[in-house]
Amino acid sequence: MLALSSKFFGAAMIIYIVATLVYATFLAIKSEKIGSLATGTATLGLLIHTAALIVRTVASYRQGIGQPPFTNLYSSMVFFSWAIILTYLILEFKFKQKAIGVFVTPIAFILLAVTTLLSDQIEPLVPALQSNWLLSHVVTCFFGYAAFAVACGISIMYLVRIYYEERGAGQVGVLQILPSSELLDELAYKAIVIGFPFLTIGIITGAAWANYAWGTYWSWDPKETWSLITWFVYAAFLHARFAAGWKGKRTAVLSIVGFLFVLFTYLGVSWLLPGLHSYA
């Protein structure tokens, strides 16, 4: 079953890059039919991706390990990729903005592409980490990360649009196919508003899990420290927006910087700063 789940992940990866191309085509010709095809392609990828996660979970139970599909680097990356597409499709359905897909679906594709370089084997967690806190901590953190990934994609679109606007390009070319700068700024803000509570809950449940596993709520492990730094970056984003009235280019840059912190917390810390979370 493990081989089957890997094949499903591979199929989802291919479908996501196809979805990216269809979204790009939609941007270029603004055809509603192409837009619907792009959404349908991304949804098909998500369904196959979901099936892969279910099959991997079943395989884990059949091996006697019995863990959800996000307990090592391979598993967490396929789950992170899945959460990004799910979050994006919810936002697309809510705000009716398909153009964002061309900047978000490649992120999910890249994450799945990286997993092809990793072992897909299911490994049991150490006994100290086998807890019901695992589900709430990891799921909330990854949904927070996913919302921040979507916000980053939107912020890149915003900066591209502003670049051409400032050079007086007029409503032609890139400016003709991208949503307005005001809408992109608002969508990036809303994505971060969605992601911030998830990250906050993830840090709180992680502290509770740490107390269960290691007997202390906070030990300044590198992953804990960088998670807190990332939280402060997005807290600064929201504070600057509410209290100082920041909008536009400054918040777009802060959104992108915040996602770089997310990536470092998720990948950089695991590879460069070994600690209690080195298994993740």
Side-chain angles (χ1 to χ4, degrees):
M1 292 194 76
L2 203 57
L4 178 62
S5 71
S6 296
K7 289 180 180 177
F8 280 169
F9 287 133
M13 179 184 71
I14 294 170
I15 292 173
Y16 290 151
I17 195 62
V18 171
T20 302
L21 297 174
V22 181
Y23 275 117
T25 304
F26 166 74
L27 268 179
I29 64 177
K30 290 290 185 183
S31 164
E32 285 300 322
K33 288 184 179 179
I34 298 297
S36 298
L37 179 62
T39 302
T41 306
T43 304
L44 175 63
L46 180 69
L47 291 175
I48 294 175
H49 203 154
T50 304
L53 290 173
I54 293 171
V55 171
R56 187 173 175 82
T57 302
V58 172
S60 171
Y61 278 90
R62 286 195 173 183
Q63 289 181 15
I65 297 175
Q67 293 174 171
F70 39 69
T71 52
N72 60 19
L73 184 59
Y74 176 93
S75 297
S76 65
M77 290 186 87
V78 296
F79 185 80
F80 187 14
S81 173
W82 175 83
I84 288 172
I85 295 297
L86 177 62
T87 303
Y88 163 69
L89 286 174
I90 291 172
L91 289 174
E92 181 190 305
F93 177 78
K94 173 74 174 174
F95 299 109
K96 313 298 182 190
Q97 291 298 321
K98 298 179 185 294
I100 302 165
V102 74
F103 282 84
V104 176
T105 48
I107 301 175
F109 164 77
I110 291 170
L111 285 171
L112 283 182
V114 172
T115 63
T116 62
L117 305 175
L118 305 173
S119 169
D120 64 354
Q121 295 302 304
I122 301 173
E123 300 166 355
L125 284 173
V126 297
L129 298 179
Q130 295 176 8
S131 162
N132 291 329
W133 287 107
L134 169 70
L135 190 65
S136 56
H137 171 61
V138 178
V139 169
T140 50
C141 279
F142 276 115
F143 272 107
Y145 288 176
F148 297 147
V150 173
C152 177
I154 298 171
S155 297
I156 292 171
M157 291 178 71
Y158 175 88
L159 292 178
V160 169
R161 183 175 179 91
I162 288 297
Y163 173 84
Y164 284 98
E165 281 184 355
E166 290 178 347
R167 281 152 183 79
Q171 291 300 318
V172 296
V174 173
L175 295 184
Q176 195 175 27
I177 62 177
L178 293 180
S180 70
S181 55
E182 292 80 9
L183 178 59
L184 291 172
D185 181 66
E186 186 68 16
L187 288 177
Y189 161 68
K190 286 180 176 175
I192 289 174
V193 165
I194 292 170
F196 189 71
F198 277 111
L199 179 61
T200 303
I201 295 170
I203 290 175
I204 293 171
T205 53
W209 188 16
N211 185 55
Y212 169 83
W214 302 312
T216 177
Y217 288 98
W218 199 268
S219 55
W220 297 107
D221 175 74
K223 183 78 79 174
E224 294 173 349
T225 303
W226 280 94
S227 294
L228 186 61
I229 292 172
T230 302
W231 186 90
F232 274 117
V233 171
Y234 285 105
F237 176 102
L238 295 174
H239 177 77
R241 180 100 179 188
F242 283 121
W246 278 28
K247 283 188 176 183
K249 192 184 293 185
R250 289 185 294 184
T251 48
V253 171
L254 198 52
S255 167
I256 295 169
V257 170
F259 189 61
L260 292 177
F261 275 86
V262 167
L263 291 178
F264 185 77
T265 301
Y266 173 48
L267 296 174
V269 169
S270 298
W271 288 336
L272 302 176
L273 302 172
L276 294 172
H277 289 77
S278 295
Y279 56 89

